[in-house]
Amino acid sequence: MTIVIVGGGAIGLLLLSRLAQASNGQPVALLTRPNGAAALQATPLQVSGIGACSLTGLTVAGAVADLPAAFQQPALAILCVKGYDTNGAIATLRDLNPGSILTLQNGLGNEEALAQAFGADRIIAGAITTSVDATGPTTITVTKAGGIGLAPVGGTSNLTLAETALSNAGFTVQRYHDYRAMKWSKALLNMLGNATAAILDWSVAQVYADRRLVALERTAVREALAVMQRMGIRPVNLPRYPAALLAFGIRWLPPIILDPILRQRVAGGRGGKDPSLLRDLRAGRSRSEGEFLYGAVAAAATAHGLQTPVNAGLWQVLGGIVRGDLRWDDYRGQPERLLAACGMAK
Ligand SMILES: NC(=O)C1=CN([C@@H]2O[C@H](COP(=O)(O)OP(=O)(O)OC[C@H]3O[C@@H](n4cnc5c(N)ncnc54)[C@H](OP(=O)(O)O)[C@@H]3O)[C@@H](O)[C@H]2O)C=CC1
Ligand SMILES: CC(C)(CO)C(=O)C(=O)O
C-alpha cells in the first residue's frame, strides 16, 4: 500500500521527511511541481528546527506519469497545496486515482470541493497544527511542534491507513467524528493575527500591541462562532491547540483578562513564523487563502441569514489588495483605514 503526497511546499516536505523515515512505514512518494521535483532529485531534503535531518534517495516526481508504477493508483494521497490550488490539484488527483484522499489544508471548503469531485467516502479531512516554514525548494524549518486531527467526510471514509502511517511517522494523531467541527476550529486559529498582519504589513506583536486591533480580532472570531452556532457546529480542541478553550475565552472573558492571553497565544502560535497571508502578500502572490477563512465565514453567514461585517471587511480589503484592485500602500501601517473598512472605526 503506497502513499503519494501532492504538493512539495512546507507541509508536503514535512510529511515526506517524516513518512520516509518511519520504521515499518508505507512506501511514500512526493508529487510536486517539476522544478521542485528536479531540485529534490539533485539536492538532499534538509529539515531544520524540530526533527532536524537531511534525506536523500526520496521518490519524487513532477508529473503522475513520472511516478514509479507502484505509486500509480496509491492507497492514499495526502493533499498539501494551498486552498486556491485545490481545483488544479483535483485534475492531478484524477490522473493519480488514489483509494483515499487526505487533505491537510487550512480553511473551509476544500473537503466539499474534493467530495464533489471524488465522492465523500474517498475523502478524509485533516488539520495539522505543526508550524513549518519553507525556506527553499529543498529546505524547511519546523518552528513549532503540533499534531494531526483526522475526520471522515463520508459515512465510509476509511481512516485506518492514514492514522497508522502518520502515527508510525511520529505524529500525535487524534480522530474527530465531525469534520466540520475540526476544520472550523482550525479556521478560528488561522484567523487570528493573520489578515490584520497581512493588510497592515505588521508583525503579530505589532497588531496585538493595538487594543483596537485586538478588539477587531476578537470580533472576527465571535462572528465565526455565531455562524458555527447557527450551523450546529461546536468548537473542539485540536492536538496541541486548545481551540475550544480559546473559543470559550473569546466568547466569555472580559478583554482585560482575555487580551494578554491572546497576545501570548497568537504571537507564539506559529513559533516565530510570519503569518501565511502576510508571507503570500510579500511574495507577490495574486491569490490568498484568506478566501477560505474570512471569505468563507462571510459566505456561510450570508447563507444562514447572518451578518459578519468584520470577516467581510477583512476579506474585502485583503482580496482587493491581492487582486490588485486596492493599493497595499493605502493600508500598510494604517490601522484606522482597516478599522473603518470593518465598520469598527470610533
Ligand atoms: N506551513 C504551515 O505551517 C502550515 C500550513 N498549513 C496548510 O497546508 C497547506 C499547504 O501549505 P504550505 O505547505 O505552507 O504551502 P506551500 O505554498 O509552501 O506549498 C504548496 C506546494 O504545493 C505546490 N502545488 C500547488 N499546486 C500543485 C499541484 N497541482 N500539483 C503539485 N504541486 C502543487 C506549490 O507549488 P507552487 O508554489 O509552485 O504553486 C507548493 O510547492 C495550506 O492549506 C496551508 O494553509 C496547515 C498548517 C500549517
Ligand atoms: C501553524 C498553524 C497551526 C498556526 O496557525 C497554521 O495552521 C499555519 O501557520 O498555517
Side-chain angles (χ1 to χ4, degrees):
M1 289 211 278
T2 55
I3 299 177
V4 174
I5 297 159
V6 179
I11 292 295
L13 293 179
L14 169 76
L15 266 286
L16 179 65
S17 72
R18 296 282 161 85
L19 288 168
Q21 292 180 86
S23 51
N24 309 321
Q26 314 291 332
V28 62
L30 173 71
L31 183 58
T32 191
R33 304 284 197 201
N35 53 348
L40 282 164
Q41 279 152 1
T43 319
L45 168 57
Q46 299 280 358
V47 180
S48 52
I50 300 161
C53 61
S54 176
L55 298 172
T56 51
L58 300 164
T59 305
V60 182
V64 175
D66 296 338
L67 281 169
F71 292 99
Q72 311 274 344
Q73 300 188 17
L76 179 68
I78 306 181
L79 185 57
C80 302
V81 306
K82 299 268 187 173
Y84 47 73
D85 278 325
T86 300
N87 285 338
I90 283 175
T92 308
L93 287 165
R94 281 195 209 282
D95 290 345
L96 190 63
N97 196 18
S100 298
I101 301 165
L102 161 63
T103 163
L104 293 180
Q105 298 165 286
N106 280 334
L108 306 167
N110 293 303
E111 281 75 10
E112 289 75 8
L114 291 166
Q116 196 173 3
F118 299 102
D121 290 336
R122 281 171 78 187
I123 312 304
I124 303 165
I128 179 163
T129 56
T130 310
S131 184
V132 192
D133 204 354
T135 46
T138 64
T139 53
I140 57 168
T141 303
V142 181
T143 58
K144 194 163 188 294
I148 298 182
L150 298 176
V153 174
T156 62
S157 300
N158 187 348
L159 273 58
T160 310
L161 171 60
E163 188 173 31
T164 309
L166 295 170
S167 301
N168 284 345
F171 288 101
T172 302
V173 181
Q174 193 173 329
R175 276 192 188 221
Y176 297 85
H177 67 270
D178 180 354
Y179 85 89
R180 297 184 315 159
M182 182 184 77
K183 297 299 285 221
W184 275 81
S185 300
K186 183 74 199 297
L188 295 177
L189 299 175
N190 292 127
M191 286 167 62
L192 289 165
N194 211 347
T196 47
I199 291 166
L200 298 168
D201 197 8
W202 271 3
S203 67
V204 175
Q206 279 176 296
V207 170
Y208 275 80
D210 186 323
R211 281 163 184 244
R212 300 165 305 169
L213 294 172
V214 184
L216 184 143
E217 295 259 313
R218 261 191 266 117
T219 310
V221 171
R222 282 188 182 150
E223 286 179 356
L225 288 169
V227 179
M228 289 172 73
Q229 192 168 18
R230 179 66 65 91
M231 293 172 73
I233 299 172
R234 291 170 75 97
V236 292
N237 286 324
L238 298 168
R240 290 185 187 246
Y241 241 129
L245 203 64
L246 207 64
F248 177 87
I250 288 178
R251 192 178 262 156
W252 299 112
L253 291 181
I256 193 155
I257 297 174
L258 176 66
D259 290 2
I261 301 173
L262 281 182
R263 226 166 256 132
Q264 193 252 331
R265 287 297 306 192
V266 180
R270 297 179 178 91
K273 181 173 72 99
D274 281 334
S276 57
L277 300 178
L278 174 59
R279 289 174 63 98
D280 280 359
L281 266 192
R282 284 186 178 158
R285 292 193 177 175
S286 58
R287 296 171 301 165
S288 166
E289 274 195 323
E291 177 183 352
F292 304 90
L293 296 169
Y294 318 94
V297 169
T302 305
H304 289 85
L306 293 172
Q307 290 198 336
T308 51
V310 171
N311 280 279
L314 284 168
W315 176 234
Q316 196 198 343
V317 175
L318 181 63
I321 294 170
V322 162
R323 289 188 303 272
D325 299 338
L326 298 175
R327 277 166 33 93
W328 195 10
D329 279 346
D330 288 342
Y331 290 89
R332 275 187 160 127
Q334 302 195 51
E336 291 75 19
R337 293 207 61 167
L338 174 58
L339 288 158
C342 293
M344 290 192 66
K346 279 269 147 53

